[in-house]
Amino acid sequence: MKSLAELTELKEQAEKKLRVRKSSGKPQIIVGMDDCGIDAGAREILKKFLAEVNQRDLDVIVTQTECSGQCDQEPVVTVQLPEESKVTYGNVTAEKLEQIIEEHIVNGNILEDLKLDQ
Amino acid sequence: MEQSIYRSHILICGGTGCVSSGCKEVRSSLEDELARHDLEDEIKVLETGCHGFCEKGPLIIVYPESVFYCELKPENMEKLVEEHILKGKIVEEFLYQEPVTNESVRSYKDIDFYKKQERNALANCGHIDPEEIEEYIATGGYQAIGKALTEMTPQEVIDEVKDSGLRGRGGGGFPAGLKWQFASEAEGDKKYVICNADEGDPGAFMDRSLLEGDPHRIIEGMVIAAYAIGADEGYVYVRAEYPLAIKRLRIAIEEAEEYGLLGDNLFGTDFNFDLHIKEGAGAFVCGEETALMASIEGKRGMPRPRPPFPAQKGLWGKPSNINNVETYANVPDVIQDGAETYKQVGTEGSTGTKVFALTGKINNTGLAEVPMGITMREIIYDIGGGINDGKEFKAVQIGGPSGGCLPEDKLDLTIDYDSLLEVGAMMGSGGLVVMDEDTCMVDVSRFFLDFTQSESCGKCTPCRVGTKQMLDILERITTGEGQEGDIELLEELAENIKSTSLCGLGQTAPNPVLSTLRYFRDEYEAHIYEQNCPAGACEELLGAYVIDGEACVGCTACTDACPVDAISGEAKEEHQIDEDACIACGACVEKCPVDAITQ
Amino acid sequence: MACSCGNAEENQEQYLAPLYDVLAGYECKEKDLIPVLQDAQEEYGYLPQDVLQEIAKGLGVPFSQVYGVVTFYSQFHLEPRGENIIRICMGTACHVRGGDKVLDKMKEELGVDDGETTEDLKFTLESVACIGACGLAPVIMVNDNTHGLLTPEKVPEVLDQYRD
């Protein structure tokens, strides 16, 4: 260790690996992973979200949840930005997934046309 | 390819407690299940140090939800992975239940045991992988030493520690900054820093948990101390009874060397520091600083008179600074956040937090780090969940063999170094053993004297002979041979031993007896004058057991339990105990479903 | 280690070879005495007189000091010990939760007293001061493994794990 700057840089790198343990106050992508969701392909969607978040190096939590009662709209994905209300999207595909990340997560614009009524 | 970011981290406690309750098996079953569901790339499993809630082990925390599962078995992993990790359904049955309300609690942050704590020294314990230096660095680790080395002079470091009011956590409570000042001012071409990890007090295990759960914090604290006093070499003296702590510390030292956080020219300065581990060999007295240093030198671990103090003439005659594990664990925060912030917690005379090891007849046993100035009642009832099995609180023993037993009317005492001394106890290392109505206070005194007597090194007469005499008297009393005058004799011996012994071991050895005499004198008197043990613990003073014929249901549970076949009677009929054969072991009482057996 | 086969010297050399390996790993100063004793005991199971004499020679410290250190620390043993070392915790937390009953059951099961070794050299039984796992009281250690929340009834089960 040659300098404090070197340590701080190492700290920032290391912090990324521990992001998942500090979830409060962070954007969350919550994928419905009950049987209905998995049958509709939610596993692949979840993996893609994770890969996308990784690739873009976003500090976003990707997690799973049980059935929300909208089984016919699966895969269902909920986006929760800090201090905003939850937005749920239905019939999420790989294509829609990129839109959700790009528009909603990164730019903060809700995709009204994909949004499900609560 | 290993994914750099996982969607979930599963932290499994790998402290000594959880290892003994089977966390290794749980982990391998968990990994099998994750593999079966093809989840290895999404979920990371890692082993942490102790969460300090050992009785509920094996423990798991699932992030990002921070769901806390406890008392897990390998066969539970199938359900846990399928329901929670895959489908996102919390598995209620593995959650922790509050002992009083029976409510299930989801997150560890909401469990009463943790909620009332203020975890600073233990902040990382159970939350990071102790064998992974980058996890410590990610939490801000080693920033303090970087700051000290590049922005502060050694004297500024000492002043900050002095100003923080940090006192030695190992027992005596001597101001750490002052100790550093003495070592810094001592003349010498070579100086040492030493960490006392010879945690020998029965009932204390916070140092072990710190070393197992966050070894880098201790290393960082020691490096800061070394810089402050001008030392270039250090030793951690660890009990050989702590193999896991030694292993983790060894790994941590190697990692720190690899990352250039130990060794030469740290942070580009001309400051060098090497750290070694020295394993103890089983002698309680080595917790005394001069004895500890003799032991490092390869000698019998016997204390020597002070002065000269270790700060002047310590290890191999060189100026040395010696602090306890928990003290060093507080140092990085003092430097990083500053003395002013540090002082916000605690009382004026005792700043910061203290880790207590909560054990005995209590619902939640484990480690509790709380601000100084908290009351004993808050620790025992709010954090500890009260006395188990619905029994009555009788006393709490604080400070191990050097400390004392406090009765119920002292429960609202605010705890700090000075308040405890006033009531005849002491902080000691922070062991808190809770005792209920079934604990005999004379027997507890005998227990501690038995301990100090056998651990007395024998160098000075008051301790060697005096503790033996006290023990003889206590043994006499607990076996029904107590005599008039015994209490007075105990008091006289106690005062003599306290004032004339060479080291802390002897000087504090009589404390358990003096404090029980002060608060529970009636129990001593009952043993001596009435041949009676009010708690029903001293076997020689108990009569045979009898079965209440009216209540007995003839289940034969007692007959099977009796080790000497003293109970007779046909099934479904009333049973009898042969008084002459009965050895009053109490085995039958525990087995009786209708509580028909009494003494 | 004297014997009558005529190869005493050679045997002795062979017997001490592991010790020489231990000594080779140290600077062989006084400060190394305790670690060397620990390693030697790990190697031989206990500390025979020949080994102690050789250690004294190797480190250049008087034999009296070696003997003094060995008898001071409870970790060192001058007599052969069992294959498995059972340490019963007698700390405060274990004491108030019935550690003595576990010790009694152990004595009964093994047929030895505190500090003794079974005739088949399988087990050595020792009561020790606190082993620092108080959350699990009453607790014992067998070799490096901790077994917690014990009752006398669980004792045979624990022992079975260490019998062949």
Side-chain angles (χ1 to χ4, degrees), chain A residues 4 8 19 117:
Chain A
L4 200 50
T8 307
R19 276 173 180 169
D117 292 329

Side-chain angles (χ1 to χ4, degrees), chain B residues 119-131:
Chain B
R119 293 198 156 208
N120 296 339
L122 294 175
N124 291 335
C125 280
H127 299 286
I128 63 167
D129 183 343
E131 298 183 12

